[in-house]
Amino acid sequence: IIIGGGASGLAAAVFGARAGAAVTIVEHMDRVGKKILSTGNGRCNLTNLDMRPECYRSGQPSFPMEVIEGFPVERTLEFFRGLGIEPKSRGGYIYPNSDQASAVLDVLRREVEHLGVAVLTDCEAQAVNTRPGEHGFVVRTSQGELTADAVILAAGSKAAPNTGSDGSGYRLAKGLGHRIIKPLPALVQLRCQGKHYRQLAGIRTEAKLSLYADGQLLAEDTGELQLTDYGLSGIPTFQISRYASRALDEGKRVVVMVDFLPGWPQEEAFTRLRERADLQSYKTAEEFFVGLLNKKLALVLLQAAGISPSQPVGGLKNRQLSRLLEVLKSYEALVMSVNPFANAQVCCGGVDTREVDPATMESRKCKNFYLAGELLDVDGICGGYNLQFAWSSGAIAGMNAAGKGAHTGND
C-alpha cells in the first residue's frame, strides 16, 4: 500500500508493480498527482543535470545525495523516455519537450493503470498499524481497512495544501515511532518591515541577497529579485527562505542585505559611482539613476540615503555618495515573517532522515515500512531538485518494498 499519490507515490507504484507486487495507492484527493501540474510554472522541471550535494538541505547533509545516487538523473531520464516523455534541457534544467506538466502526470497515470495498480481516491489514510504477532500492516482508511505486507508513506509535506499536502503523513510516521523535525515553509516569499514596499511592487531587478540571523551569515544567492507590496520574492529569495523560516522560528532577528548592483565589485563601486556622478553632474539625483536602476526603486533608495531626488548630482559630496553606495550595495530588509504553507513550494523539516535507510528508504524503526518524497527532512533548491528526490526516493522505496533491490536492474 502506498499512502499518497504524488510524484514519489506514483514512482513507487510504478516500480513496485514492475517488480511484481500487487500495489494499491491510497489518495485523499479526488485524483492523483495534482501537485505535479503546478511544478515548473506548469511546464514541470523534471530534474537537473547539475546534481550536487549543496543543492539539498537536510539535518543529515549526506542523505539526499545518497538516495539520488541509488536512482540517479540518468535513470530518471531513461524512465521518462520509456513512458513517452522526450526530455529537453534549458541550461541543465530538464523539461518535457511539450513544456506541459500535464504530460508528465498523464504518462504516470497511464503507466499505473497499465500495470494494474489499484487507485483509491477520496480515501483518507487514518492510521497505520502493525499486525500483532503477524507479518504486515493494517491501514485504516475512510473507505475501510486494508492489509499489506509493506507500506510506503509518500504523503507529502504541508506545502501547497490546496494540492493535497496537508501534513497528515507526519502523524502517520509519528505513530510508527518516527521523530518529526518541525516542518516550516521553504521556497517561499519573505515579508519585510516597511511601508515603502508598496511603491516597489512589481519591480524585477538583478540582485544578490545575503541572509543573516542574529548577525550570522546563513545563505546567499544571486538572481532576479521580485519586489512585492510586502517584501521580497523571486528565485534568489526562495533559495534562502528556508534559513529565514528556521531562524524566525527560533526567535532570531533576520535581515536580508540586498546588493542591487551585484555586477559592480565592491572595491570598484565607489570609483564607478563617482565617475558616473562627474559625467552627469548637470542632472538631478533622480535623473542620475536613469539607465542604471528602475525609477521607482531609485526614489526609495535615494530616500533611504537621505538625498533629495531634485539635488544636482554635481553637488553631491563623497560622504553622500558613500552613503548612497551603502544603500545600493547593502540595503537592509528586516524580515518579519515568511509567507504561509499555502504559498510555499516545499517544506524544510519532516521525518528525521537518520531513521531511514537511504539505500532502501526503509524505516529503521519499523520493518517493511518505507518513506519517500517531501515527507522527509529534505528540501532542494529551485530547479527540479525536489522532483528528482521524489523520483529517486519513490523508485527505491517501490523496488525494495516489492522485495527487489534498487540495483537489480529489474525496473
Side-chain angles (χ1 to χ4, degrees):
I1 290 173
I2 298 166
I3 300 172
S8 60
L10 289 169
V14 170
F15 284 93
R18 286 182 180 179
V23 179
T24 298
I25 295 175
V26 174
E27 170 56 54
H28 74 147
M29 298 292 279
D30 59 355
R31 64 178 293 187
V32 296
K34 276 196 170 181
K35 197 170 183 179
I36 293 172
L37 296 175
S38 61
T39 58
N41 290 321
R43 294 181 302 170
C44 193
N45 185 185
L46 279 166
T47 184
N48 201 301
L49 299 180
D50 183 19
M51 199 58 57
R52 291 172 286 118
E54 50 268 37
C55 298
Y56 290 94
R57 291 80 180 257
S58 172
Q60 191 184 8
S62 63
F63 183 87
M65 286 305 293
E66 286 179 51
V67 173
I68 286 161
E69 283 161 10
F71 190 87
V73 173
E74 299 74 33
R75 287 185 76 183
T76 301
L77 296 177
E78 180 187 342
F79 167 58
F80 278 106
R81 280 195 187 98
L83 298 182
I85 295 293
E86 185 60 38
K88 70 175 173 185
S89 172
R90 285 195 185 93
Y93 293 65
I94 302 296
Y95 296 86
N97 199 57
S98 62
D99 271 333
Q100 289 178 297
S102 59
V104 176
L105 179 54
D106 285 347
V107 298
L108 287 168
R109 289 177 70 198
R110 184 68 182 90
E111 188 68 8
V112 161
E113 180 187 6
H114 169 66
L115 292 167
V117 172
V119 179
L120 304 179
T121 54
D122 293 309
C123 184
E124 184 185 347
Q126 297 164 338
V128 180
N129 297 304
T130 54
R131 289 191 281 189
E134 294 183 61
H135 173 68
F137 300 86
V138 175
V139 179
R140 193 174 79 244
T141 79
S142 57
Q143 296 180 19
E145 287 192 346
L146 305 169
T147 58
D149 297 319
V151 169
I152 299 173
L153 187 58
S157 64
K158 282 187 172 183
N162 64 315
T163 63
S165 303
D166 63 356
S168 58
Y170 300 129
R171 176 179 51 78
L172 297 175
K174 200 171 182 180
L176 287 171
H178 281 275
R179 174 175 175 259
I180 310 300
I181 296 164
K182 185 177 180 179
L184 296 167
L187 299 188
V188 71
Q189 304 87 351
L190 303 180
R191 304 188 77 90
C192 302
Q193 187 181 70
K195 294 179 181 177
H196 59 278
Y197 287 100
R198 291 176 195 159
Q199 296 169 245
L200 303 174
I203 293 173
R204 294 170 180 246
T205 184
E206 190 77 8
K208 178 182 177 182
L209 308 186
S210 304
L211 186 136
Y212 292 83
D214 285 352
Q216 181 186 358
L217 178 64
L218 297 184
E220 292 182 311
D221 202 74
T222 302
E224 188 180 68
L225 171 67
Q226 293 179 31
L227 293 158
T228 70
D229 58 355
Y230 56 77
L232 311 179
S233 185
I235 299 294
T237 305
F238 293 163
Q239 308 291 46
I240 65 173
S241 60
R242 64 104 63 203
Y243 298 99
S245 269
R246 194 62 69 192
L248 288 165
D249 189 63
E250 292 167 358
K252 295 179 179 176
R253 184 178 188 270
V254 177
V255 168
V256 176
M257 304 304 287
V258 184
D259 180 354
F260 288 107
L261 294 173
W264 287 23
Q266 190 65 46
E267 61 276 12
E268 300 173 13
F270 182 81
T271 303
R272 289 176 73 162
L273 201 66
R274 182 75 265 176
E275 285 175 354
R276 186 178 175 88
D278 291 343
L279 280 169
Q280 304 181 68
S281 58
Y282 57 93
K283 292 184 179 178
T284 64
E286 182 179 358
E287 292 169 334
F288 169 70
F289 276 99
V290 174
L292 182 64
L293 288 179
N294 178 284
K295 191 172 183 178
K296 288 193 291 183
L297 175 59
L299 288 171
V300 168
L301 296 177
L302 283 169
Q303 185 179 12
I307 296 171
S308 168
S310 60
Q311 182 172 343
V313 174
L316 288 176
K317 304 283 194 295
N318 278 349
R319 60 179 170 75
Q320 289 176 295
L321 280 178
S322 293
R323 173 61 187 144
L324 182 57
L325 185 64
E326 190 180 323
V327 171
L328 284 166
K329 298 284 286 178
S330 305
Y331 181 81
E332 183 176 299
L334 179 62
V335 182
M336 306 308 292
S337 66
V338 300
N339 265 349
F341 288 111
N343 300 102
Q345 292 182 28
V346 296
C347 287
C348 58
V351 175
D352 191 336
T353 55
R354 290 172 295 186
E355 301 171 351
V356 180
D357 181 351
T360 62
M361 303 313 296
E362 186 175 17
S363 164
R364 299 188 194 274
K365 296 282 187 178
C366 181
K367 190 170 173 57
N368 296 320
F369 179 57
Y370 299 79
L371 303 104
E374 212 179 298
L375 181 82
L376 294 158
D377 175 33
V378 173
D379 56 292
I381 62 173
C382 296
Y385 296 98
N386 290 292
L387 271 180
Q388 179 59 55
F389 184 76
W391 310 133
S392 296
S393 59
I396 292 168
M399 286 185 277
N400 283 281
K404 305 283 185 181
H407 302 289
T408 61
N410 289 329
D411 58 311

